[in-house]
Amino acid sequence: MKAFITGICMLIVCSAAFAADRSPIVKATEKSEFTLEVVSGIKELKNGTNTLDLVVRDKKGKSVEGAKLTVTPYMPAMGQGVWDKPAVTDQGAGKYHVQNIVTTVNGRWELKIDVRKGSLKDQAVFSFDVTGKAPAARTEADLPRGNYARSVKYYNIPNVTLLNQDGKKVNLRELVDSGKPVIFDFIYTTCTTICPVLSASFTNLRKELGADADKVQLISLSIDPENDRPEKMKKYLSRFKAGKGWDFLTGSREDIDRVLKSLEATLVDKMSHEPIYIMRAPHSDDWIRIKGLLSKGDLLNELRRIEH
């Protein structure tokens, strides 16, 4: 009997603890125009694709229907967001279902939620821990390697003329087809978070290659062409001791967007871009797309892999 009572008590305690853990997370927006509630009380997101259910209320606690919500995942420690934007569905009675919340690495993430209803606009930021392994990809080529994911793609580079850091006109297709292995990254000069990390990886790769550094064509494509002009790009590259074989390219917004689209690298906000490398061996139709930060050893290994 005593054991039975003890078991019942433990069940009650555990159930209460579980209920408390799943209790809704409620937060007022910055200007207190709205209150947002994460219905399921989720404290953690998985590494991969997630969903959330939200309730939006006004100052008086009444449900807000027909609001426009924009959800932006962001990882402060890495200074990066994601390109896959969440989709929000209005389910009525102030309830909103958020799908396609994609997180790419473990750690602390923020969900910035903007709410607009009529003339009212406000935002709130929820923090979540992201844990677990990324979901397995469909093919061997897409399996995560270390802290990055690798996939094989086919891209058709547009025939556009851009400007490099010396103000020289460069035909992008000719540069790509120059007979060297090619590696792209996507950066901008005023970035203080992910871009210097990407550029440092190019510097480290060139150090590893030594005298053969200029036998690999590195291309940093500006994602902020309105501000990135040759003199700024040259100054930026000097910080990373760039030399022959590393071109920083800019151009008109139209031409840059054509290139970004052709490489599946379009983005909504330059502040929320992901670390991506795209590389190809000479005369190959296969492009290797890498998402994530690489160590100098990883980048060199990937280069050797496409060369052979």
Side-chain angles (χ1 to χ4, degrees), residues 267-284:
L267 64 160
V268 176
D269 182 359
K270 69 181 181 181
M271 300 296 289
S272 298
H273 70 290
E274 292 182 309
I276 287 180
Y277 303 86
I278 296 175
M279 60 178 66
R280 192 195 74 173
H283 315 300
S284 174

Side-chain angles (χ1 to χ4, degrees), residues 50 79 93 100 103-104 106 110 128 142 147 170 192 242 263 266 273 281 288:
N50 301 267
N100 198 41
T103 55
T104 53
N106 293 344
E110 293 180 349
F128 296 92
D142 291 317
N147 291 320
V170 176
T192 58
L263 295 172
T266 54
H273 70 290
I288 305 303

Side-chain angles (χ1 to χ4, degrees), residues 62-306:
K62 295 182 178 180
S63 299
V64 177
E65 298 186 34
K68 181 179 179 182
L69 271 65
T70 303
V71 180
T72 305
Y74 187 79
M75 190 177 191
M78 298 295 291
Q80 71 178 67
V82 293
W83 292 352
D84 298 312
K85 297 303 179 184
V88 182
T89 303
D90 186 348
Q91 297 184 315
K95 298 178 180 179
Y96 298 83
H97 183 60
V98 187
Q99 297 174 287
N100 198 41
I101 303 172
V102 178
T103 55
T104 53
V105 294
N106 293 344
R108 193 71 166 173
W109 282 74
E110 293 180 349
L111 288 186
K112 176 185 174 185
I113 303 177
D114 291 280
V115 184
R116 183 191 295 270
K117 173 67 174 179
S119 61
L120 298 178
K121 182 180 179 181
D122 208 347
Q123 66 176 236
V125 177
F126 289 83
S127 295
F128 296 92
D129 289 317
V130 172
T131 60
K133 295 181 179 180
R138 296 183 180 179
T139 65
E140 185 277 333
D142 291 317
L143 290 176
R145 288 170 168 79
N147 291 320
Y148 64 94
R150 182 184 194 274
S151 56
V152 180
K153 301 285 187 175
Y154 174 78
Y155 296 127
N156 183 24
I157 302 297
N159 188 22
V160 297
T161 298
L162 305 175
L163 286 178
N164 72 4
Q165 66 276 8
D166 297 316
K168 179 183 176 181
K169 292 183 178 180
V170 176
N171 182 279
L172 183 60
R173 189 174 290 174
E174 291 178 359
L175 184 63
V176 168
D177 292 333
S178 62
K180 300 178 182 180
V182 176
I183 308 177
F184 277 91
D185 70 2
F186 307 91
I187 64 173
Y188 62 102
T189 58
T190 55
C191 176
T192 58
T193 53
I194 199 69
C195 299
V197 179
L198 293 169
S199 299
S201 71
F202 273 7
T203 298
N204 290 331
L205 176 65
R206 287 172 60 83
K207 288 180 180 178
E208 291 291 312
L209 294 172
D212 293 331
D214 63 351
K215 294 182 180 180
V216 176
Q217 181 60 57
L218 304 180
I219 301 175
S220 292
L221 188 72
S222 170
I223 57 175
D224 187 19
E226 291 84 359
N227 295 310
D228 287 347
R229 306 317 300 165
E231 60 276 10
K232 290 184 179 180
M233 298 190 303
K234 192 175 185 69
K235 184 177 180 180
Y236 178 93
L237 287 183
S238 67
R239 293 164 47 195
F240 297 93
K241 298 180 173 59
K244 183 180 178 183
W246 184 353
D247 283 274
F248 195 169
L249 301 180
T250 190
S252 67
R253 169 51 68 182
E254 180 181 4
D255 284 341
I256 291 295
D257 283 347
R258 284 182 63 193
V259 179
L260 292 175
K261 184 177 181 180
S262 73
L263 295 172
E264 297 180 305
T266 54
L267 64 160
V268 176
D269 182 359
K270 69 181 181 181
M271 300 296 289
S272 298
H273 70 290
E274 292 182 309
I276 287 180
Y277 303 86
I278 296 175
M279 60 178 66
R280 192 195 74 173
H283 315 300
S284 174
D285 290 331
D286 291 335
W287 288 84
I288 305 303
R289 180 185 182 88
I290 292 174
K291 182 188 292 187
L293 295 173
L294 305 184
S295 69
K296 63 181 180 181
D298 288 334
L299 189 54
L300 181 60
N301 288 339
E302 290 293 345
L303 174 62
R304 296 305 187 208
R305 185 174 179 183
I306 65 169

